[in-house]
Amino acid sequence: MLKYILKRLGSTLVVLFLSSILVFFLVVHSGDPLEDLRESNDPDAPFQMEQRIHHMQLDQPWYVRYWGWLQGMLGCFRLSCDFGTNRDGQQLNPILMQAAQDSLRLVLIATIASIVLGILIGILAAIRQYSTFDYTVSFVVFFFFSLPTFWAAVLAKDYLAIHYNNWMQDGAEFTTGQIFFISLVLAIGVPLVAGGPPLRRLITGVAVGLFSAGALWYFDSTSFALSPRIGAIGLIVMALGLAVGFTALIAGLKNRQVLYTALTVALIGIVAYYATWDFLQDPPGGWFLLGALFVLTIAVCVVVARLMGGYAKGQATAVAVLTGALTSGLILLDHFMYHWPNMMSLKPRPISTIGSHSRRFTEDDVTWWQVNLDLLTQLWVPTVLMMLISLATYTRYTRASMLEVSRQDYIRTARAKGANERTVVLKHAFRNALIPLATIVAFDFAGLIGGTVIVERVFNWNGMGQLFITALQNVDPAPVMGFVVITGFVAVMFNLIADILYAVLDPRIRV
């Protein structure tokens, strides 16, 4: 395996090297970088032209300029990359770092969200093939997939940002008509999608309608949108619900050892919620500390599962890790909710439609939570947009892969041996269905990086896409090369990870 990984890394370097030569040659010969200064009436234009010629080395052949750029890239092997300067003489390293941080944050969140939702929906669609749920999901995901990105981005800005901000400024209140309409739509839609006998659909519709009306009335009466909280009671109920739910899904409630393991992890999470509350009000180290706590959470979950899991240690570990990870996510969400009113006091219209962050949240008197709430609200609209567009890929491939695997002999054998349907679907079918999905994830991640060019243009993000377009318009090769190297390296690395996952998912591939 190590030899294979080294070979792939070597081929990756060759691909990046050859593509960099081609891209550099095309950009250099795509136009005149001095065109704006030649047409300028500014008396200082000749001096500016000399400065640009010096910064861009326009008096040298293209291959000499490329060699100078390549020497800076070779410094990456010494962990001191030098991406050069743009046409104004500014160092590109800090500019590229900030742009890559904004773009990759957007792409990673959208990719993870679309993978999780797409796989879950695809599994359900495969289990209930040709049902109302299957047809509804197919229509919805293909509808979003067919939307032009630039047009969908404009609609998202209007409905998910501007209308939401207006609603927040109006007090975030639901009218009686809105509560009735939303409850009625859910009462009709959920039973149609869920399926089942007519009586069960009727009972489901009534229950969903009453629950929706009650929940909306509660949120409205407590001004939940302006002062949201999960709270201690909510966290206890959700943590215990996660423990029971994951146990039922993976091992079954009859497996008491797994159930007790999951409940123990949930109780540890509830205790940690109280123990770390004051400490996390101003977390030293920010995301680094939270990441370290998350790693500690996973380690504790694994230890508890190994000690209490008994003969079902594998299932206990899976249930404990999922319960602990989502419980820690709920704790983090509650902290963000706690600081939401403070962020609203600085930004009454919380979701902006321009930029990746607000300037007022870079001042020293703003707390860490307020800064990151601003970043998350800026991510909301473009992330949802990119997630919905790529959701169809994962949903349909998961559905098709699950249906193909479910017809295999070993699936019929598992059912004939008396394995319950949960074990057949999750343990036997789903793992083998993940093999083609590993390839799709790698290609889709690269596609989303390209899609950010349009999304960043619409939302005016200073990310990699905006940097790439501006550099192409200015015939400035250094920023374009930085875009190619960073995005190309990330895309190729995801393909490498996909190849490694093949061997993890299917041991026969290792041979």
Side-chain angles (χ1 to χ4, degrees), residues 326-400:
L326 291 183
T327 301
S328 63
L330 290 174
I331 295 174
L332 182 64
L333 178 61
D334 190 56
H335 278 277
F336 275 118
M337 288 181 171
Y338 178 78
H339 290 86
W340 176 259
N342 295 329
M343 196 275 289
M344 287 283 295
S345 64
L346 298 175
K347 191 179 177 184
R349 297 179 66 85
I351 301 179
S352 301
T353 57
I354 296 176
S356 59
H357 61 276
S358 302
R359 292 183 178 179
R360 72 184 67 179
F361 288 92
T362 59
E363 301 173 357
D364 295 335
D365 58 341
V366 180
T367 65
W368 182 88
W369 293 101
Q370 292 171 338
V371 171
N372 284 276
L373 273 172
D374 174 63
L375 294 175
L376 291 174
T377 54
Q378 300 296 94
L379 276 171
W380 156 247
V381 180
T383 298
V384 169
L385 173 65
M386 297 182 68
M387 180 197 69
L388 291 177
I389 291 175
S390 62
L391 187 63
T393 303
Y394 298 108
T395 301
R396 302 311 292 175
Y397 270 98
T398 302
R399 178 184 181 275

Side-chain angles (χ1 to χ4, degrees), residues 89-270:
Q90 297 175 325
Q91 287 291 329
L92 280 175
N93 282 24
I95 298 175
L96 282 171
M97 184 176 296
Q98 182 62 44
Q101 179 181 347
D102 290 340
S103 293
L104 293 179
R105 183 173 69 240
L106 172 62
V107 172
L108 280 174
I109 295 177
T111 302
I112 293 173
S114 58
I115 289 172
V116 173
L117 290 177
I119 289 178
L120 291 176
I121 296 173
I123 293 174
L124 293 176
I127 294 175
R128 302 180 55 190
Q129 186 183 16
Y130 302 136
S131 64
T132 305
F133 176 81
D134 188 20
Y135 289 126
T136 304
V137 165
S138 299
F139 172 77
V140 171
V141 296
F142 276 114
F143 172 77
F144 286 115
F145 182 75
S146 62
L147 292 178
T149 304
F150 61 90
W151 182 69
V154 174
L155 291 180
K157 288 174 65 173
D158 187 26
Y159 289 99
L160 297 181
I162 296 175
H163 281 69
Y164 175 79
N165 289 333
N166 294 337
W167 180 67
M168 293 292 286
Q169 281 197 322
D170 292 338
E173 296 180 353
F174 292 102
T175 63
T176 304
Q178 290 173 336
I179 294 176
F180 176 79
F181 177 75
I182 295 173
S183 302
L184 181 63
V185 169
L186 292 175
I188 296 175
V190 171
L192 289 176
V193 174
L199 180 60
R200 193 176 76 176
R201 291 191 182 191
L202 178 62
I203 296 174
T204 301
V206 173
V208 169
L210 293 176
F211 177 79
S212 302
L216 291 174
W217 175 82
Y218 172 78
F219 291 153
D220 192 38
S221 62
T222 59
S223 299
F224 185 82
L226 298 176
S227 300
R229 285 298 305 275
I230 294 178
I233 297 177
L235 181 70
I236 293 172
V237 172
M238 291 182 181
L240 296 177
L242 288 173
V244 175
F246 282 125
T247 302
L249 179 64
I250 296 176
L253 294 178
K254 293 181 179 180
N255 194 326
R256 298 301 182 184
Q257 289 178 307
V258 176
L259 178 61
Y260 295 153
T261 300
L263 292 176
T264 301
V265 170
L267 292 176
I268 293 175
I270 295 169

